[in-house]
Amino acid sequence: MSSWAANLAKLGGELPSTATPIGVCVPAVRTGDLVYTSGQLPLVRGLIERPGKVGREVSVTDASRAAEICTLNALAAIDALVGLDSVVRVVKVTGFVASAEGFAGQPDVVNGASNLLASVFGDAGTHARSAVGVTGLPLNAPVEVELIVECA
């Protein structure tokens, strides 16, 4: 088995501290062999990176980068709960994109999450996915990402 943490480090990535949940929830929960993360926002040092709606205040490129940040936050939650190297495979990614009226590029935004997972986990990062447009997200975030991973 590969060291996923080492793969992330080779990519120049670093896991942030686990974000404090907004609301009454935990960052991640394990049931059986699966870990579900709560929706993760693009929080950097407690602030939303690139706030606003995609297609209006936020470009697709910036929103895709925000999806990567969300994914790093989700991986940090997984790491804190079970350790990143216990991940067997990424099962599902759900991305919510705060979309301006008429914006239909949600899959392009959520590709930021999918591409990061493929880079870190290789074939084990191949996953099912949903990319959903919404009218708004907490703290005016442009994107929110949830992960489901299988763990050893």
Side-chain angles (χ1 to χ4, degrees), residues 25-134:
C25 63
V26 294
V29 66
R30 182 175 187 161
T31 182
D33 292 340
L34 298 176
V35 172
Y36 294 75
T37 68
S38 292
Q40 298 293 314
L41 301 175
L43 288 167
V44 176
R45 292 179 291 286
L47 299 173
I48 294 292
E49 186 81 3
R50 300 167 182 88
K53 291 195 178 187
V54 183
R56 192 169 59 210
E57 297 92 0
V58 182
S59 71
V60 171
T61 300
D62 286 345
S64 180
R65 175 64 186 132
E68 290 177 18
I69 294 167
C70 294
T71 304
L72 286 170
N73 288 335
L75 293 176
I78 292 165
D79 187 54
L81 183 66
V82 298
L84 194 60
D85 288 335
S86 72
V87 173
V88 173
R89 74 166 293 121
V90 178
V91 177
K92 175 85 187 269
V93 173
T94 304
F96 302 95
V97 180
S99 303
E101 186 175 335
F103 179 75
Q106 292 84 5
D108 295 328
V109 171
V110 182
N111 280 344
S114 296
N115 291 337
L116 176 63
L117 293 167
S119 295
V120 172
F121 296 102
D123 288 341
T126 303
H127 53 267
R129 187 179 89 176
S130 298
V132 182
V134 297

